[in-house]
Amino acid sequence: MTDLSHIRNFSIVAHIDHGKSTLADRLIQTTGALSDREMKAQVLDSMDLERERGITIKAQTVRLRYKAKNGEDYILNLIDTPGHVDFAYEVSRSMLAVEGSLLVVDASQGVEAQTLANVYQAIDADHEIVSVLNKIDLPAAEPERVSEQIEDVIGIDASDAVHISAKTGLGIEDVLEAIVERLPAPSGDRDAPLKALLVDSWYDAYLGVVVLVRVVDGVLKQGQKNRMMSKNDYYPIDRVGVCIPKMMTIDELGPGELGFITASIKQVSDTRVGDTITEERRQTEEPLPGFKPAQPVVFCGIFPVDSAEFENLRDAMEKLALNDASFSHEMETSAALGFGFRCGFLGLLHLEIIRERLEREYNIDLITTAPSVVYHVYTTDGGMIEMHNPADMPDPVKIDHIEEPWIQANILVPDDYLGDVLKLCQERRGVQQDLTYAGSRAMANYKLPLNEVVFDFYDRLKSITKGYASFDYQIDGYEMGDLVRMSILVNDEPVDALSTIVHRSQAERRGRAMCEKLKELIPMHMFKVPIQAAIGGRIIARETVRALRKDVTAKCYGGDVTRKRKLLEKQQAGKKKMRQFGKVEIPQEAFINALKMDN
Amino acid sequence: MNGSVEDWREGGFGLYVHWPFCLAKCPYCDFNSHVWREVDQKRWREALLAEMRVMHARAPGRPVDTVFFGGGTPSLMPAETVAALIREADRLWGLSSTVEITLEANPTSVEAERFRGYSEAGVNRVSMGVQALNDRDLKALGRTHSAAEARAAFDVARSVFDRVSFDLIYARSGQTEDAWRDELREAIDMAIDHLSLYQLTIEPGTRFADLYDLGKLSVPEDDAAATLYEATQEICEAAGMPAYEVSNHARPSAESQHNRLYWRYGDYAGVGPGAHGRLTRPSGRFATETIRDPSAWMIQVEGQGDGLASVAPVTSQEQAAEMLMMGLRLTEGVRLDRYARLSGEEISQKRLHPLAEDGFIEIDSGQLRVTDAGRPVLNAVLRALLA
């Protein structure tokens, strides 16, 4: 209903910790959308996990009313997008739903890799971009230098950047004015057939599936029978509304507006991010640019620690999948770990989030196996298998060749650490594409095999740069690689859950590291326990857990009987947390920790 | 409860009397010991006698096979107290004709003077806390006697008693294998027919534990301790005093009857502060425990006749576990059918077989034994058997 010229739609692009959520909170507070009492820090991140980790997983919107200095009333729609690379596709859809972006950069830290990835998406979406320098009140703030850096690295004019402190509230009015003055109003035709973009969707316990939409043309109304164009699904609209940020039903959403609908849709997987919604009776001729289903790129096995918890785990996974179409799970059986699931994720952060939610919200102790990427295994009979579990590797004689996914990685790092970062990238089979400098920081662009990245790249990068490097990537494509399956044998028996696919050149290093790690993780037994890494029948690394030589109570008399028995019972209970493998007991944490390589 | 109530005769019956006082607290000791300036001897005698009568009422009708005065330092007891307690045990239960009555003694000259009195009271075996045979280590262990004094006290003891044993502690801070071998040979020359050789362990709540946690005390552990243990077995065996229990060595038939009763999982009545008992009654087996604090124990005994803090039933399964845990400490091992009767099921072949195959246990006509290879890792054997 609002005139298009009085609507502004925008997103906020920022690196984690640069103040995106705090700025969003300030905008909501300043425009009076929520009373002070209702404000809790970081209103938009509604999931506990999001608030705790300071990351946004699902896109959310908030409609703000703002009376500008020119005396006119404006509707400002803020869309809060996931900032992380794992959710790049969601981000790109969200970007298409708005016309402009605020680029928030920490005035003391400068541009980070994640900022780059997201700002390029904003540029791709033809956004008008307003630079905002945050934390201007910090003594270390260097607004001029950072403005220059924005111009050098990103290539956008930052001379008129708005200087703010989201924490103290300084400059918030200037941001609101810049949104009104500098961002374009949306365009759209109210009388044209309905054309709306499906931005995101989530499951709400009370409302069912809630769909976030941006109306491009036409009007969305309650009672309308609408079609999702990627499939031929028709739904009558139950509710139309906006988030202020509380959900509020309104009569209709016109062109240029952002809001939500509910339409008795059963599962989130029935809605596809990027889809076009139109009216059944009067369909738009031209759908919005296509829908692309999210492809899991990282896989791992998830098993309950207590096998009796398997059904609970299944229920929990089904519930999570309801709200997350990009998370896949399939039953898997492991000789070492029993019944569990092979799960697919958009990336390592996504994996981490799902795992944490399963443990925290559903209270299930889990064993997670080594993350693996999806390999394309070309067989000699001309077929191709998408392999995401090392256990599924075909007999080597039947393999013609294997391809693995590569990524394009951007790494921003202070000069001092550049040498170590380049060394790490080389070690991980990286191919340098570009190396540029901006001030005292270098930006390295590398092609890297994803397999090396999911292994322990983040952890190593973090530790060698003391946390100063930032890293982001996009999937580049598949390339042939000399890949082999490395098995781990404990006491001469292969432990399926520990086998991994590695590049032949890395096999020895990885095998050695894994055996060394397992040696620390497997407790002493009454016999010596050999730990071997093998490719086919060839042993490439070996360690031995020495046999226990002494474990006996020196003194045990009449008064000790009860106490010693209880101690024994306690040890027995502790043993239940181990996995019996042949004669060897392997603690659960070994399965996860064996793959984490410290220095 | 599965299984049947076991007959007390299965393991015999013993009486333990705890004397909780010491002249000084040793830094490694976590036993219930207290340093009091003055002890009202008459009052303590009466209280111990009173509690013994209550224990008799709970477990009457069985002759006493063994009596053990432990502590604390029971060699600080007046001989007349020891005599009164032995007389009362004989009056209540009756002492068996082969009764063994042991008293733990500190090897000092003061205490040696009382040995004659103890012998007259009926004590027929003394176990002396010698602990080390050199003054430097004795000092480090917080002992108040010298090595020479200990030898002198030992000589007095053997002139009075037929059966005298002594304890040594090894794996002391800084102790080398060679030093221990020399000292142990010396000890064997000195010994009559019984020796207790304990590895020093750091027990929570002791002065040594504090020092250890602060990093101010180190003791041989793991491999080093295993090496000392192996040397101990080798030397004692060669000298004809093989281990009949993890830490106890004796010439054949010189074993401590009382301690073996614990390991054979017999019945025992525990009298005195912090004493434990295992008593079989028609309704089942009970674990008794008295109040540890001497003053609180005394108040309760004087008020109600006993100082019991708890009397708890021990389930058959728990008894089975305890029987195995204690019995496998003995070289002779345990009867598998006794275990099966108590627990209601046999130990599965699935558990026995791998241990036997690896040479940690052996089974011979229904008797389960831990081998020389299994004994140093007995706790692991037990975990595997009871899992």
Side-chain angles (χ1 to χ4, degrees), chain B residues 202-278:
Chain B
I202 304 296
E203 302 298 336
T206 61
R207 172 102 187 101
F208 270 9
D210 294 342
L211 293 171
Y212 184 83
D213 291 342
L214 290 169
K216 291 182 179 165
L217 174 72
S218 67
V219 291
E221 283 173 284
D222 305 328
D223 270 3
T227 302
L228 293 175
Y229 174 86
E230 283 161 12
T232 306
Q233 306 314 308
E234 177 204 313
I235 292 172
C236 290
E237 234 162 86
M241 286 176 78
Y244 68 98
E245 190 263 356
V246 174
S247 305
N248 284 274
H249 299 257
R251 296 196 193 285
S253 75
E255 298 89 355
S256 160
Q257 306 289 329
H258 185 82
N259 290 332
R260 196 166 61 185
L261 183 141
Y262 293 142
W263 298 315
R264 285 180 172 173
Y265 202 47
D267 261 23
Y268 47 100
V271 171
H276 290 249
R278 283 284 183 287

Side-chain angles (χ1 to χ4, degrees), chain B residues 345-360:
Chain B
E345 58 182 345
E346 292 181 354
I347 303 178
S348 74
Q349 281 302 320
K350 208 181 94 208
R351 300 200 185 293
L352 292 171
H353 185 70
L355 289 168
E357 202 175 39
D358 290 341
F360 294 114

